[in-house]
């Protein structure tokens, strides 16, 4: 039995195995490389998305605060129907104003929940029931809807 084992160790591989052994290694290397390339590409894409979202968080906060300023401006116009209303009139019942850092707000007052151009009224009008304010900062837009409730004295 000892002689048979030593004879098998010294034998060369069959010709068929010698021809295909390099192809298998090459195939394994290509598959592993492709998987690593795919994982790296996906990780880079996800990191880019997260960086964009983090950058837009500041603009989102600015847009929300601009929309809130628009609501406050409309409430000022509602409570003080003076000759100096807040904001610049766009001609269609919508008013707007600009803030610093490329931030602006537009607001409209509505007399019903239709939100059609025909239901827009001046904010100083006592029939105003809703304020729609839109804040814009950079490419981010945010809107607030405020309901006006007037209690009888």
């Amino acid at each position: 039995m000892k002689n048979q084992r030593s004879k098998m160790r010294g034998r060369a591989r069959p010709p068929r195995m010698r021809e295909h052994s390099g192809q298998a290694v090459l195939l394994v290397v290509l598959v592993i490389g492709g998987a690593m390339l795919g994982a790296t590409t996906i990780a880079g894409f996800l990191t880019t998305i997260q960086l964009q979202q983090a950058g837009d968080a500041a603009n989102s906060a600015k847009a929300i605060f601009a929309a809130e300023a628009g609501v406050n401006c409309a409430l000022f116009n509602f409570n003080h129907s003076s000759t100096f209303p807040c904001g610049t009139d766009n001609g269609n019942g919508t008013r707007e104003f600009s803030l610093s850092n490329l931030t602006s707000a537009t607001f409209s007052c509505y007399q019903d929940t239709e939100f059609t151009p025909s239901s827009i009224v001046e904010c100083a009008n006592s029939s105003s029931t809703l304020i729609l304010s839109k804040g814009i900062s950079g490419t981010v837009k945010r809107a607030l809807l405020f309901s006006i409730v007037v209690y009888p004295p």
Side-chain angles (χ1 to χ4, degrees), residues 1-13:
M1 190 110 188
K2 199 172 193 183
N3 287 341
Q4 287 178 350
R5 281 187 188 168
S6 62
K7 286 180 183 177
M8 298 207 40
R9 280 189 203 160
R11 284 189 180 173
R13 291 182 188 167

Side-chain angles (χ1 to χ4, degrees), residues 14-31:
R16 180 189 272 166
M17 275 188 83
R18 271 188 272 153
E19 291 174 5
H20 298 294
S21 64
Q23 291 177 358
V25 171
L26 182 62
L27 183 64
V28 168
V29 168
L30 287 175
V31 168

